[in-house]
Amino acid sequence: MPKRYLYGTVIVTYRCNAKCNMCDCFRDPSRPEDEITLETIKKLPEMAFTNITGGEPFIRKDIHEIVRELFKKTDRIVISTNGYFTDRIIALCKEFPQTGIRISIEGLQQTNDAIRGIPNGFNKGYNTLKTLVEMKHPDVGFGMTVQDMNCEDLVPLYELSNELCMEFATATLHNSFYFRKTDNKIDDKLKVAQNFEKLINKLLKSTSPKKWFRAYFNHGLINCIYGQPRMLPCDMSKDAFFIDPFCDVIPCNGMAQKAVMGNLKGQPWDELWNSEQANKVREQVKHCDRNCWMIGSVAPAMHKYIWVPGWWVVKHKIFKGNKYSIHENRFIEKKHK
């Protein structure tokens, strides 16, 4: 059997019960009858990793069937969720204990609930996390999208993840067709970068090699906040893809305008993936100027170009004694002299 190498993201719905300040997805939900079906999911290719996302994936009543089908063709599945539908999440994890769960938490209670617009959202998400930990679910974590409003909660949330012995993922504000937003921005870049600096130093001082590489990823988020060129090549549309609720295959969710490689409802995968239209989109990606830095595109790049983050880790672990400073980045010096 050929080695699975593709990273796939399946956006199963644009319906969402949250009203996040950085995402207007809830204003333009998909209709259930228009959303990707099991028949189309069966047409997806073999994948090394699959992320299921939304909207809120657990709004789909057939999420169990979707996961069951995807496990026939992928090595690992992680579902991104706001954690609100605790009973549904726990039921799925009991049926598929190998499924990863990542719950979005945007800060401590007051901050999170203000950003996400779900009444009692922090407590719902946190209780879901605690329940998963108590049932010894092996692949669970949470993550936050860092902005001015919540950057001071970044390290406290990381400490919480350590207490619960779980993964902690980060992102930063960005705009794209996917979020239906064009006005997301960070006003106090230095303050946000300084909080990332604190997190990076904690990650470097840990005993976990995985966390050392997470430190590099967070260094890249500072780079992104300041609008600097991306630190690793983007191979989206070559090694990775997204498919949206309408079965359009797209390179990623970070572009300003949606670029469609083909529609899986009406085409077999191999025909779509190797089509002239798909190659046109790859050319667009090659010349993309977004310089985004999101885990969906960066994780495969970090594996492919491992020597780049590897050298960064060696330099900061050995030569700099587990220390990182934002002032290593000359663009910050110039900006804040």
Side-chain angles (χ1 to χ4, degrees):
M1 180 186 289
K3 185 181 177 184
R4 292 169 167 173
Y5 71 93
L6 282 173
Y7 280 59
T9 298
V10 185
I11 308 168
V12 293
T13 183
Y14 281 136
R15 290 176 283 152
C16 193
N17 61 315
K19 294 178 173 61
C20 300
N21 70 352
M22 67 285 200
C23 175
D24 278 348
C25 185
F26 67 93
R27 299 183 191 278
D28 186 24
S30 48
R31 297 184 306 171
E33 61 268 27
D34 295 333
E35 292 171 351
I36 188 167
T37 65
L38 288 176
E39 288 309 306
T40 303
I41 282 169
K42 288 175 184 177
K43 295 168 69 175
L44 284 166
E46 300 280 312
M47 292 168 280
F49 173 84
T50 304
N51 175 226
I52 299 174
T53 188
E56 171 48 51
F58 283 92
I59 282 179
R60 289 278 304 242
K61 293 179 180 176
D62 58 349
I63 189 69
H64 288 248
E65 288 75 15
I66 289 171
V67 169
R68 187 176 296 112
E69 281 303 323
L70 284 171
F71 264 127
K72 294 174 184 176
K73 56 179 76 247
T74 189
D75 296 333
R76 183 168 176 241
I77 293 174
V78 170
I79 305 178
S80 303
T81 171
N82 60 38
Y84 190 83
F85 299 106
T86 305
D87 293 345
R88 299 180 197 179
I89 294 168
I90 300 308
L92 185 134
C93 288
K94 285 179 178 176
E95 184 175 351
F96 305 102
Q98 69 273 47
T99 304
I101 299 291
R102 297 292 178 271
I103 294 176
S104 297
I105 293 182
E106 305 304 340
L108 301 175
Q109 185 171 355
Q110 187 175 349
T111 309
N112 176 82
D113 292 357
I115 288 174
R116 296 198 70 82
I118 308 177
N120 205 32
F122 177 86
N123 287 331
K124 292 285 284 185
Y126 181 67
N127 286 336
T128 303
L129 286 168
K130 280 191 70 178
T131 305
L132 289 167
V133 169
E134 287 162 6
M135 59 189 272
K136 295 184 167 53
H137 190 70
D139 190 356
V140 59
F142 62 95
M144 67 185 292
T145 299
V146 182
Q147 53 178 291
D148 296 274
M149 202 171 157
N150 65 359
C151 64
E152 292 181 332
D153 289 355
L154 180 57
V155 170
L157 278 183
Y158 168 70
E159 301 286 9
L160 182 62
S161 75
N162 271 350
E163 286 174 26
L164 295 171
C165 300
M166 61 176 59
E167 296 282 328
F168 180 62
T170 47
T172 189
L173 279 186
H174 41 277
N175 297 293
S176 79
F177 75 91
Y178 173 78
F179 298 101
R180 277 74 161 172
K181 292 283 281 188
T182 58
D183 59 353
N184 281 329
K185 66 186 178 73
I186 289 173
D187 292 313
D188 193 341
K189 292 182 174 63
L190 182 60
K191 179 182 175 183
V192 173
Q194 286 169 335
N195 280 282
F196 271 119
E197 178 186 65
K198 292 174 189 174
L199 174 64
I200 289 166
N201 279 303
K202 285 189 172 289
L203 291 166
L204 284 170
K205 287 170 185 169
S206 79
T207 57
S208 164
K210 188 171 185 179
K211 289 185 178 180
W212 306 340
F213 282 87
R214 285 274 183 186
Y216 172 82
F217 175 79
N218 283 279
H219 162 61
L221 286 173
I222 296 172
N223 190 70
C224 180
I225 287 167
Y226 279 89
Q228 295 300 300
R230 189 181 158 104
M231 300 189 310
L232 290 171
C234 177
D235 290 324
M236 298 303 284
S237 75
K238 294 179 184 175
D239 297 337
F241 68 91
F242 281 61
I243 184 167
D244 75 3
F246 313 113
C247 307
D248 284 336
V249 176
I250 55 180
C252 67
N253 66 342
M255 299 177 86
Q257 301 295 327
K258 182 177 173 182
V260 180
M261 303 172 75
N263 188 284
L264 195 58
K265 197 186 295 184
Q267 296 171 276
W269 175 263
D270 287 343
E271 177 186 301
L272 184 158
W273 192 245
N274 298 302
S275 67
E276 184 180 340
Q277 175 61 23
N279 287 330
K280 283 181 183 175
V281 170
R282 290 186 182 105
E283 281 299 309
Q284 284 180 253
V285 173
K286 196 186 292 184
H287 299 99
C288 179
D289 62 357
R290 302 285 284 177
N291 291 320
C292 60
W293 192 258
M294 293 182 279
I295 197 66
S297 64
V298 175
M302 284 177 66
H303 283 96
K304 188 172 182 178
Y305 307 100
I306 186 66
W307 59 89
V308 178
W311 168 242
W312 186 93
V313 167
V314 168
K315 185 168 69 172
H316 286 85
K317 288 292 296 177
I318 297 175
F319 300 115
K320 297 200 172 187
N322 293 326
K323 288 183 182 175
Y324 169 83
S325 167
I326 56 171
H327 296 296
E328 294 172 23
N329 305 295
R330 290 182 182 174
F331 55 84
I332 291 182
E333 291 285 358
K334 287 179 184 176
K335 183 87 176 170
H336 299 290
K337 261 189 176 179

